[in-house]
Amino acid sequence: MLSNLKGYHRPKSIAEALALLEKNSGTILVIAGGSNLVRSHNETVQELVDISSLRLNYIKEDVGLIRVGATTPIQELIENPKISNLSDGILTAAAFQSYYSRMIRNVATIGGELVQSNPLSVLYCALLVLQAQVRIAGGEEFALAMNIFLNKKGLNGGLLVEVLIPKMADRTYAALSTIQPDPKSPPIIAACSRLTLHKGLCRNVKIGVTATAKIPQRMQEAEIQLEEQRLSNANIESAAETVYDTYQPISDHLAGEEYRKEVVRLVVKKALNTCLELAEEDL
Ligand SMILES: Cc1cc2nc3c(=O)[nH]c(=O)nc-3n(C[C@H](O)[C@H](O)[C@H](O)COP(=O)(O)OP(=O)(O)OC[C@H]3O[C@@H](n4cnc5c(N)ncnc54)[C@H](O)[C@@H]3O)c2cc1C
């Protein structure tokens, strides 16, 4: 409950929304789908800026990338063929596995999901390895790499307006692997991988894992280890071992850190093996 709520604004333009956010910073918040805000207890919030009339609900194809507006609902990511045809379908799968309830998927937005910084967000993890960028409006507009954004140089009172997802180059493969004992809860752990094969060697390797502190993280030591190496079973095994050594999981009501640490090798191996299978099918 936002028990001190006194005002509700529905601006028609980004400039109008930003002016409201700037004027009342500290006591005003953006509301997108509202699915998280309605259950929050934030007594400092006195006003809300509803961004549903800013025409930010879209999925558009552009040169080399897909643009997703911040208020696009999660369900739309699942149903839209531009998203399912992108990046070996990992965004569709990630969106589906992140949310059990279709009712919530119909209202929760991609912008709300990213601003939450939820450590279990499979969607966030997938966008991280796909090197998506977010566009923030706030005075100037600029693009930030997802990992910078998520490590919270932050929104600074600005508005997330768009997510830019690059299309994958030829011979690039992406995969998602999860452990989800209860389909009504998010996966307790997920790994996403993405890599390009050039003359049989891995390039631009990205490996992301959920259930790390605050937000999903890239496993950079394992990524570096696989660069310019063959995607062989032995190298996959060894990269998964490096992830095991560096992974620092959280404990929560879904699973303990010891369990997550134990199973991280499995999900990373599965994701990388799926990339290998996709590469073999592509020959
Ligand atoms: C019954 C129920 C079930 C749920 N189930 C799940 C689930 O299965 N999985 C899951 O991950 N979550 C779940 N949630 C939580 C919620 O749906 C998610 O956190 C969702 O991502 C929030 O998106 P939203 O668009 O509704 O954000 P909102 O609630 O509108 O906003 C969330 C936060 O993000 C900020 N914000 C939103 N958009 C922007 C923007 N464009 N720019 C700047 N700031 C912004 C808001 O100010 C607010 O602080 C559930 C919630 C409920 C009530």
Side-chain angles (χ1 to χ4, degrees):
M1 274 285 287
L2 301 171
S3 50
N4 283 329
L5 206 57
K6 297 184 178 77
Y8 193 91
H9 310 270
R10 189 175 287 151
K12 291 276 185 297
S13 71
I14 290 175
E16 205 187 322
L18 289 175
L20 284 161
L21 289 168
E22 197 177 330
K23 193 166 140 226
N24 304 322
S25 70
T27 58
I28 194 160
L29 264 190
V30 168
I31 180 164
S35 61
N36 200 56
L37 272 183
V38 286
R39 61 179 187 174
S40 66
H41 296 273
N42 187 338
E43 301 204 339
T44 59
V45 179
Q46 296 181 7
E47 292 174 90
L48 291 174
V49 178
D50 178 343
I51 58 171
S52 60
S53 299
L54 300 185
R55 295 185 296 278
L56 295 175
N57 178 353
Y58 57 81
I59 297 175
K60 291 182 196 162
E61 203 147 3
D62 207 334
V63 183
L65 52 85
I66 301 283
R67 297 177 175 274
V68 183
T71 60
T72 304
I74 301 295
Q75 182 64 25
E76 192 58 34
L77 297 180
I78 294 169
E79 290 176 4
N80 192 296
K82 290 191 185 78
I83 298 293
S84 50
N85 291 333
L86 186 72
S87 313
D88 294 322
I90 71 166
L91 285 175
T92 308
F96 187 73
Q97 291 198 27
S98 292
Y99 290 83
Y100 168 69
S101 155
R102 181 171 177 146
M103 254 163 48
I104 296 295
R105 295 200 300 262
N106 282 338
V107 290
T109 64
I110 187 168
E113 169 81 6
L114 294 184
V115 175
Q116 291 306 304
S117 304
N118 169 4
L120 295 184
S121 174
V122 186
L123 188 57
Y124 196 112
C125 189
L127 288 166
L128 196 60
V129 302
L130 297 178
Q131 295 185 287
Q133 294 192 309
V134 290
R135 200 157 62 86
I136 312 291
E140 272 176 90
E141 289 194 352
F142 55 97
L144 288 171
M146 288 286 288
N147 54 353
I148 298 172
F149 172 65
L150 294 173
N151 286 329
K152 280 279 178 197
K153 296 271 189 274
L155 280 168
N156 274 340
L159 189 65
L160 192 162
V161 290
E162 194 175 51
V163 183
L164 313 176
I165 310 164
K167 291 184 186 168
M168 296 200 310
D170 282 352
R171 301 282 289 152
T172 301
Y173 308 98
L176 161 68
S177 164
T178 59
I179 295 180
Q180 188 172 23
D182 175 5
K184 294 185 183 172
S185 299
I188 58 169
I189 188 168
C192 296
S193 58
R194 173 213 175 278
L195 53 88
T196 302
L197 284 181
H198 181 73
K199 296 185 180 163
L201 302 181
C202 297
R203 284 200 178 160
N204 205 0
V205 181
K206 303 284 174 272
I207 300 170
V209 184
T210 63
T212 50
K214 294 197 179 131
I215 48 166
Q217 301 277 335
R218 295 242 317 271
M219 298 284 113
Q220 287 174 326
E221 289 187 28
E223 293 175 357
I224 292 166
Q225 190 182 325
L226 266 180
E227 282 291 325
E228 298 297 335
Q229 302 299 314
R230 295 204 167 276
L231 193 57
S232 62
N233 287 333
N235 286 337
I236 289 175
E237 197 77 46
S238 167
E241 206 52 43
T242 301
V243 170
Y244 172 79
D245 290 340
T246 50
Y247 180 53
Q248 295 184 321
I250 55 165
S251 283
D252 61 15
H253 65 290
L254 295 173
E257 65 183 284
E258 297 82 6
Y259 181 73
R260 285 192 166 112
K261 181 100 179 159
E262 220 34 67
V263 295
V264 73
R265 282 181 280 222
L266 295 180
V267 282
V268 169
K269 263 197 282 186
K270 178 95 189 297
L272 289 169
N273 274 320
T274 305
C275 286
L276 177 59
E277 282 161 22
L278 290 168
E280 285 169 351
E281 280 168 22
D282 209 16
L283 283 177

